[in-house]
Amino acid sequence: MKAWLATLAPRERMVVIGGASLLIVALLVWSWLSFASDVERMREVVSEQRAVSQWMEAAALEAAQLRKGSGTQNRAVSGGASLLSLADQTAKRSGLGGAVTRVEPEGSDKVRIRLERANFDKMMRWLETLQNRHTVSIDSITVDQHAESGMVNVRLTLKGAG
């Protein structure tokens, strides 16, 4: 390599050495940026994993309390008015408050609810909470896909226990 470099004119040698230097600097910058990007991505993954871990710890604690019987008891809902308020309050706590367009009683132990542009995952967690913690069952449900991905329009009737 030195022999070949020695055969070049001084001006050509400077161009070759300058080009090689720029290439080395460019490779170093590219590898540093790639490393920094990987570090940032790993920070995000760690943050997400911490959140999942905290949720799991809280869920484990709640499960242990429920097994002992000292935790939150399942509450039966009786009467349309209390089911009406329960459905409305739990929907808001589940992040569906803006999607609820109508909540109206139907008889003494049922409530009709209409959700527009509701997040499907949040709606399913809400329904699971109603069923598992409050002994509320789904009497009827119609779910229509919304144009926006992950969103749905829902018409459902909930029935309280008892």
Side-chain angles (χ1 to χ4, degrees):
M1 182 76 159
K2 281 186 176 183
W4 174 77
L5 201 57
T7 63
L8 297 176
R11 196 177 227 179
E12 291 174 335
R13 253 184 275 158
M14 292 300 280
V15 169
V16 169
I17 291 172
S21 300
L22 283 174
L23 180 63
I24 290 171
V25 169
L27 287 174
L28 288 173
V29 167
W30 175 77
S31 63
W32 177 258
L33 291 175
S34 176
F35 174 75
S37 172
D38 289 344
V39 168
E40 184 59 34
R41 192 168 14 117
M42 287 298 135
R43 282 187 180 144
E44 291 173 7
V45 168
V46 167
S47 175
E48 291 170 3
Q49 293 298 323
R50 279 189 182 135
V52 168
S53 174
Q54 289 172 348
W55 176 85
M56 290 174 101
E57 288 172 0
L61 181 62
E62 182 179 351
Q65 288 176 343
L66 288 173
R67 267 189 235 114
K68 290 179 185 176
S70 64
T72 305
Q73 301 283 326
N74 282 348
R75 295 182 295 265
V77 177
S78 60
S82 61
L83 178 59
L84 186 83
S85 64
L86 174 70
D88 189 46
Q89 290 171 0
T90 55
K92 288 177 184 172
R93 275 183 276 180
S94 297
L96 294 170
V100 176
T101 59
R102 178 175 291 171
V103 180
E104 57 187 19
E106 183 177 292
S108 63
D109 65 341
K110 293 182 183 178
V111 172
R112 278 188 301 201
I113 301 173
R114 175 95 175 138
L115 302 168
E116 296 286 336
R117 206 177 149 263
N119 181 290
F120 180 78
D121 294 333
K122 288 181 181 180
M123 181 204 61
M124 292 304 291
R125 283 191 290 271
W126 171 61
L127 292 174
E128 179 185 21
T129 299
L130 283 172
Q131 183 176 5
N132 293 338
R133 290 191 182 169
H134 304 286
T135 62
V136 172
S137 61
I138 299 170
D139 190 54
S140 67
I141 186 168
T142 304
V143 180
D144 298 318
Q145 184 177 3
H146 191 272
E148 190 176 343
S149 178
M151 303 301 225
V152 290
N153 296 328
V154 182
R155 290 180 308 280
L156 68 122
T157 304
L158 299 176
K159 182 176 181 176

mmCIF file of all heavy atoms in Angstrom, residues 50-84:
data_model
loop_
_atom_site.group_PDB
_atom_site.id
_atom_site.type_symbol
_atom_site.label_atom_id
_atom_site.label_comp_id
_atom_site.label_asym_id
_atom_site.label_seq_id
_atom_site.Cartn_x
_atom_site.Cartn_y
_atom_site.Cartn_z
ATOM 1 N N ARG A 50 -40.626 -1.684 32.761
ATOM 2 C CA ARG A 50 -40.858 -1.242 34.144
ATOM 3 C C ARG A 50 -42.339 -1.035 34.402
ATOM 4 O O ARG A 50 -42.860 -1.402 35.455
ATOM 5 C CB ARG A 50 -40.098 0.043 34.420
ATOM 6 C CG ARG A 50 -38.657 -0.165 34.741
ATOM 7 C CD ARG A 50 -37.993 1.120 35.218
ATOM 8 N NE ARG A 50 -36.588 0.873 35.457
ATOM 9 C CZ ARG A 50 -35.622 1.669 35.063
ATOM 10 N NH1 ARG A 50 -35.904 2.797 34.439
ATOM 11 N NH2 ARG A 50 -34.372 1.365 35.300
ATOM 12 N N ALA A 51 -43.025 -0.403 33.443
ATOM 13 C CA ALA A 51 -44.462 -0.177 33.592
ATOM 14 C C ALA A 51 -45.211 -1.502 33.686
ATOM 15 O O ALA A 51 -46.106 -1.662 34.523
ATOM 16 C CB ALA A 51 -44.991 0.659 32.422
ATOM 17 N N VAL A 52 -44.840 -2.459 32.849
ATOM 18 C CA VAL A 52 -45.480 -3.778 32.896
ATOM 19 C C VAL A 52 -45.184 -4.451 34.228
ATOM 20 O O VAL A 52 -46.067 -5.055 34.847
ATOM 21 C CB VAL A 52 -45.010 -4.657 31.710
ATOM 22 C CG1 VAL A 52 -45.432 -6.102 31.893
ATOM 23 C CG2 VAL A 52 -45.530 -4.107 30.405
ATOM 24 N N SER A 53 -43.963 -4.332 34.687
ATOM 25 C CA SER A 53 -43.575 -4.937 35.966
ATOM 26 C C SER A 53 -44.369 -4.336 37.124
ATOM 27 O O SER A 53 -44.854 -5.065 38.001
ATOM 28 C CB SER A 53 -42.072 -4.731 36.207
ATOM 29 O OG SER A 53 -41.710 -5.187 37.484
ATOM 30 N N GLN A 54 -44.528 -3.018 37.126
ATOM 31 C CA GLN A 54 -45.304 -2.371 38.183
ATOM 32 C C GLN A 54 -46.754 -2.815 38.136
ATOM 33 O O GLN A 54 -47.374 -3.063 39.167
ATOM 34 C CB GLN A 54 -45.205 -0.853 38.058
ATOM 35 C CG GLN A 54 -43.852 -0.309 38.412
ATOM 36 C CD GLN A 54 -43.704 1.170 38.100
ATOM 37 O OE1 GLN A 54 -44.538 1.757 37.419
ATOM 38 N NE2 GLN A 54 -42.622 1.766 38.581
ATOM 39 N N TRP A 55 -47.305 -2.925 36.923
ATOM 40 C CA TRP A 55 -48.682 -3.382 36.787
ATOM 41 C C TRP A 55 -48.812 -4.808 37.309
ATOM 42 O O TRP A 55 -49.763 -5.139 38.013
ATOM 43 C CB TRP A 55 -49.120 -3.312 35.327
ATOM 44 C CG TRP A 55 -50.499 -3.855 35.131
ATOM 45 C CD1 TRP A 55 -51.673 -3.185 35.297
ATOM 46 C CD2 TRP A 55 -50.849 -5.193 34.770
ATOM 47 N NE1 TRP A 55 -52.732 -4.028 35.061
ATOM 48 C CE2 TRP A 55 -52.250 -5.261 34.732
ATOM 49 C CE3 TRP A 55 -50.102 -6.328 34.475
ATOM 50 C CZ2 TRP A 55 -52.913 -6.440 34.403
ATOM 51 C CZ3 TRP A 55 -50.776 -7.492 34.150
ATOM 52 C CH2 TRP A 55 -52.168 -7.534 34.120
ATOM 53 N N MET A 56 -47.841 -5.657 36.973
ATOM 54 C CA MET A 56 -47.892 -7.053 37.413
ATOM 55 C C MET A 56 -47.793 -7.151 38.937
ATOM 56 O O MET A 56 -48.485 -7.968 39.561
ATOM 57 C CB MET A 56 -46.780 -7.863 36.759
ATOM 58 C CG MET A 56 -46.982 -8.081 35.282
ATOM 59 S SD MET A 56 -45.570 -8.879 34.540
ATOM 60 C CE MET A 56 -46.192 -10.536 34.431
ATOM 61 N N GLU A 57 -46.942 -6.335 39.531
ATOM 62 C CA GLU A 57 -46.824 -6.345 40.990
ATOM 63 C C GLU A 57 -48.134 -5.914 41.642
ATOM 64 O O GLU A 57 -48.578 -6.513 42.619
ATOM 65 C CB GLU A 57 -45.676 -5.441 41.432
ATOM 66 C CG GLU A 57 -44.306 -6.001 41.130
ATOM 67 C CD GLU A 57 -43.183 -5.014 41.398
ATOM 68 O OE1 GLU A 57 -43.466 -3.874 41.836
ATOM 69 O OE2 GLU A 57 -42.023 -5.392 41.179
ATOM 70 N N ALA A 58 -48.760 -4.880 41.089
ATOM 71 C CA ALA A 58 -50.039 -4.420 41.629
ATOM 72 C C ALA A 58 -51.114 -5.487 41.445
ATOM 73 O O ALA A 58 -51.922 -5.735 42.351
ATOM 74 C CB ALA A 58 -50.465 -3.112 40.957
ATOM 75 N N ALA A 59 -51.118 -6.144 40.294
ATOM 76 C CA ALA A 59 -52.103 -7.199 40.039
ATOM 77 C C ALA A 59 -51.872 -8.384 40.965
ATOM 78 O O ALA A 59 -52.830 -8.991 41.465
ATOM 79 C CB ALA A 59 -52.038 -7.641 38.581
ATOM 80 N N ALA A 60 -50.619 -8.716 41.219
ATOM 81 C CA ALA A 60 -50.316 -9.826 42.127
ATOM 82 C C ALA A 60 -50.769 -9.498 43.544
ATOM 83 O O ALA A 60 -51.320 -10.361 44.254
ATOM 84 C CB ALA A 60 -48.819 -10.127 42.110
ATOM 85 N N LEU A 61 -50.552 -8.262 43.969
ATOM 86 C CA LEU A 61 -50.984 -7.841 45.293
ATOM 87 C C LEU A 61 -52.506 -7.893 45.393
ATOM 88 O O LEU A 61 -53.055 -8.399 46.390
ATOM 89 C CB LEU A 61 -50.484 -6.421 45.586
ATOM 90 C CG LEU A 61 -50.830 -5.842 46.957
ATOM 91 C CD1 LEU A 61 -50.202 -6.681 48.058
ATOM 92 C CD2 LEU A 61 -50.344 -4.406 47.050
ATOM 93 N N GLU A 62 -53.188 -7.406 44.371
ATOM 94 C CA GLU A 62 -54.646 -7.443 44.367
ATOM 95 C C GLU A 62 -55.153 -8.881 44.380
ATOM 96 O O GLU A 62 -56.103 -9.211 45.091
ATOM 97 C CB GLU A 62 -55.190 -6.709 43.146
ATOM 98 C CG GLU A 62 -56.697 -6.654 43.096
ATOM 99 C CD GLU A 62 -57.216 -5.891 41.892
ATOM 100 O OE1 GLU A 62 -56.429 -5.257 41.172
ATOM 101 O OE2 GLU A 62 -58.439 -5.935 41.684
ATOM 102 N N ALA A 63 -54.505 -9.751 43.607
ATOM 103 C CA ALA A 63 -54.914 -11.163 43.577
ATOM 104 C C ALA A 63 -54.720 -11.807 44.950
ATOM 105 O O ALA A 63 -55.574 -12.578 45.409
ATOM 106 C CB ALA A 63 -54.115 -11.922 42.523
ATOM 107 N N ALA A 64 -53.622 -11.484 45.613
ATOM 108 C CA ALA A 64 -53.384 -12.037 46.947
ATOM 109 C C ALA A 64 -54.441 -11.550 47.934
ATOM 110 O O ALA A 64 -54.943 -12.323 48.761
ATOM 111 C CB ALA A 64 -51.989 -11.645 47.426
ATOM 112 N N GLN A 65 -54.803 -10.271 47.835
ATOM 113 C CA GLN A 65 -55.840 -9.738 48.723
ATOM 114 C C GLN A 65 -57.186 -10.393 48.440
ATOM 115 O O GLN A 65 -57.939 -10.698 49.360
ATOM 116 C CB GLN A 65 -55.958 -8.222 48.552
ATOM 117 C CG GLN A 65 -54.795 -7.461 49.135
ATOM 118 C CD GLN A 65 -54.897 -5.971 48.861
ATOM 119 O OE1 GLN A 65 -55.646 -5.538 47.997
ATOM 120 N NE2 GLN A 65 -54.121 -5.186 49.600
ATOM 121 N N LEU A 66 -57.489 -10.627 47.177
ATOM 122 C CA LEU A 66 -58.755 -11.268 46.833
ATOM 123 C C LEU A 66 -58.792 -12.710 47.327
ATOM 124 O O LEU A 66 -59.835 -13.185 47.766
ATOM 125 C CB LEU A 66 -58.982 -11.213 45.321
ATOM 126 C CG LEU A 66 -59.321 -9.843 44.755
ATOM 127 C CD1 LEU A 66 -59.343 -9.881 43.235
ATOM 128 C CD2 LEU A 66 -60.652 -9.347 45.290
ATOM 129 N N ARG A 67 -57.655 -13.399 47.262
ATOM 130 C CA ARG A 67 -57.611 -14.772 47.768
ATOM 131 C C ARG A 67 -57.862 -14.816 49.269
ATOM 132 O O ARG A 67 -58.493 -15.716 49.774
ATOM 133 C CB ARG A 67 -56.253 -15.396 47.458
ATOM 134 C CG ARG A 67 -56.246 -16.143 46.164
ATOM 135 C CD ARG A 67 -54.972 -16.940 45.982
ATOM 136 N NE ARG A 67 -54.401 -16.530 44.711
ATOM 137 C CZ ARG A 67 -53.261 -15.891 44.552
ATOM 138 N NH1 ARG A 67 -52.500 -15.620 45.572
ATOM 139 N NH2 ARG A 67 -52.860 -15.542 43.366
ATOM 140 N N LYS A 68 -57.350 -13.829 49.988
ATOM 141 C CA LYS A 68 -57.539 -13.768 51.441
ATOM 142 C C LYS A 68 -58.948 -13.329 51.806
ATOM 143 O O LYS A 68 -59.378 -13.518 52.933
ATOM 144 C CB LYS A 68 -56.539 -12.792 52.068
ATOM 145 C CG LYS A 68 -55.118 -13.279 52.041
ATOM 146 C CD LYS A 68 -54.207 -12.230 52.663
ATOM 147 C CE LYS A 68 -52.758 -12.628 52.554
ATOM 148 N NZ LYS A 68 -51.875 -11.588 53.052
ATOM 149 N N GLY A 69 -59.641 -12.710 50.881
ATOM 150 C CA GLY A 69 -60.994 -12.234 51.159
ATOM 151 C C GLY A 69 -61.021 -10.854 51.781
ATOM 152 O O GLY A 69 -62.085 -10.335 52.083
ATOM 153 N N SER A 70 -59.848 -10.242 51.958
ATOM 154 C CA SER A 70 -59.825 -8.920 52.572
ATOM 155 C C SER A 70 -59.814 -7.810 51.539
ATOM 156 O O SER A 70 -59.904 -6.646 51.877
ATOM 157 C CB SER A 70 -58.580 -8.774 53.452
ATOM 158 O OG SER A 70 -57.417 -8.840 52.654
ATOM 159 N N GLY A 71 -59.711 -8.169 50.262
ATOM 160 C CA GLY A 71 -59.640 -7.172 49.204
ATOM 161 C C GLY A 71 -61.023 -6.719 48.791
ATOM 162 O O GLY A 71 -62.012 -6.897 49.484
ATOM 163 N N THR A 72 -61.066 -6.158 47.612
ATOM 164 C CA THR A 72 -62.326 -5.653 47.074
ATOM 165 C C THR A 72 -63.255 -6.825 46.825
ATOM 166 O O THR A 72 -62.919 -7.761 46.133
ATOM 167 C CB THR A 72 -62.069 -4.911 45.750
ATOM 168 O OG1 THR A 72 -61.089 -3.910 46.000
ATOM 169 C CG2 THR A 72 -63.328 -4.299 45.204
ATOM 170 N N GLN A 73 -64.415 -6.789 47.391
ATOM 171 C CA GLN A 73 -65.415 -7.835 47.215
ATOM 172 C C GLN A 73 -66.189 -7.565 45.937
ATOM 173 O O GLN A 73 -66.359 -6.430 45.529
ATOM 174 C CB GLN A 73 -66.397 -7.835 48.398
ATOM 175 C CG GLN A 73 -65.722 -8.051 49.740
ATOM 176 C CD GLN A 73 -65.356 -9.510 49.951
ATOM 177 O OE1 GLN A 73 -66.056 -10.383 49.508
ATOM 178 N NE2 GLN A 73 -64.249 -9.743 50.624
ATOM 179 N N ASN A 74 -66.685 -8.638 45.325
ATOM 180 C CA ASN A 74 -67.584 -8.448 44.189
ATOM 181 C C ASN A 74 -68.862 -7.836 44.711
ATOM 182 O O ASN A 74 -69.419 -8.286 45.685
ATOM 183 C CB ASN A 74 -67.895 -9.785 43.509
ATOM 184 C CG ASN A 74 -66.763 -10.242 42.636
ATOM 185 O OD1 ASN A 74 -65.849 -9.479 42.358
ATOM 186 N ND2 ASN A 74 -66.822 -11.482 42.211
ATOM 187 N N ARG A 75 -69.314 -6.809 44.030
ATOM 188 C CA ARG A 75 -70.519 -6.126 44.489
ATOM 189 C C ARG A 75 -71.634 -6.378 43.495
ATOM 190 O O ARG A 75 -71.496 -6.099 42.323
ATOM 191 C CB ARG A 75 -70.254 -4.625 44.600
ATOM 192 C CG ARG A 75 -69.239 -4.287 45.662
ATOM 193 C CD ARG A 75 -69.049 -2.802 45.753
ATOM 194 N NE ARG A 75 -68.467 -2.248 44.553
ATOM 195 C CZ ARG A 75 -67.185 -2.025 44.382
ATOM 196 N NH1 ARG A 75 -66.344 -2.301 45.331
ATOM 197 N NH2 ARG A 75 -66.740 -1.523 43.266
ATOM 198 N N ALA A 76 -72.722 -6.883 44.005
ATOM 199 C CA ALA A 76 -73.884 -7.067 43.145
ATOM 200 C C ALA A 76 -74.560 -5.728 42.947
ATOM 201 O O ALA A 76 -74.630 -4.913 43.857
ATOM 202 C CB ALA A 76 -74.853 -8.061 43.790
ATOM 203 N N VAL A 77 -75.029 -5.520 41.758
ATOM 204 C CA VAL A 77 -75.710 -4.275 41.440
ATOM 205 C C VAL A 77 -77.192 -4.565 41.422
ATOM 206 O O VAL A 77 -77.650 -5.487 40.780
ATOM 207 C CB VAL A 77 -75.256 -3.744 40.065
ATOM 208 C CG1 VAL A 77 -76.016 -2.500 39.705
ATOM 209 C CG2 VAL A 77 -73.771 -3.491 40.071
ATOM 210 N N SER A 78 -77.939 -3.775 42.144
ATOM 211 C CA SER A 78 -79.381 -3.956 42.140
ATOM 212 C C SER A 78 -80.040 -2.630 41.807
ATOM 213 O O SER A 78 -79.640 -1.594 42.304
ATOM 214 C CB SER A 78 -79.864 -4.455 43.503
ATOM 215 O OG SER A 78 -79.522 -3.528 44.495
ATOM 216 N N GLY A 79 -81.018 -2.711 40.939
ATOM 217 C CA GLY A 79 -81.739 -1.489 40.566
ATOM 218 C C GLY A 79 -81.088 -0.796 39.397
ATOM 219 O O GLY A 79 -79.883 -0.776 39.271
ATOM 220 N N GLY A 80 -81.883 -0.211 38.499
ATOM 221 C CA GLY A 80 -81.384 0.437 37.298
ATOM 222 C C GLY A 80 -80.569 1.676 37.576
ATOM 223 O O GLY A 80 -79.608 1.949 36.893
ATOM 224 N N ALA A 81 -80.929 2.457 38.598
ATOM 225 C CA ALA A 81 -80.232 3.719 38.849
ATOM 226 C C ALA A 81 -78.787 3.467 39.242
ATOM 227 O O ALA A 81 -77.884 4.126 38.760
ATOM 228 C CB ALA A 81 -80.947 4.508 39.929
ATOM 229 N N SER A 82 -78.536 2.476 40.135
ATOM 230 C CA SER A 82 -77.158 2.234 40.544
ATOM 231 C C SER A 82 -76.359 1.602 39.406
ATOM 232 O O SER A 82 -75.179 1.882 39.259
ATOM 233 C CB SER A 82 -77.112 1.364 41.794
ATOM 234 O OG SER A 82 -77.712 0.112 41.554
ATOM 235 N N LEU A 83 -76.977 0.752 38.608
ATOM 236 C CA LEU A 83 -76.298 0.176 37.448
ATOM 237 C C LEU A 83 -75.983 1.270 36.437
ATOM 238 O O LEU A 83 -74.905 1.277 35.849
ATOM 239 C CB LEU A 83 -77.169 -0.907 36.803
ATOM 240 C CG LEU A 83 -76.607 -1.570 35.547
ATOM 241 C CD1 LEU A 83 -75.274 -2.237 35.845
ATOM 242 C CD2 LEU A 83 -77.597 -2.581 35.005
ATOM 243 N N LEU A 84 -76.891 2.206 36.281
ATOM 244 C CA LEU A 84 -76.691 3.335 35.376
ATOM 245 C C LEU A 84 -75.456 4.138 35.783
ATOM 246 O O LEU A 84 -74.580 4.413 34.962
ATOM 247 C CB LEU A 84 -77.943 4.221 35.385
ATOM 248 C CG LEU A 84 -77.986 5.374 34.410
ATOM 249 C CD1 LEU A 84 -78.439 4.876 33.049
ATOM 250 C CD2 LEU A 84 -78.950 6.424 34.914
#
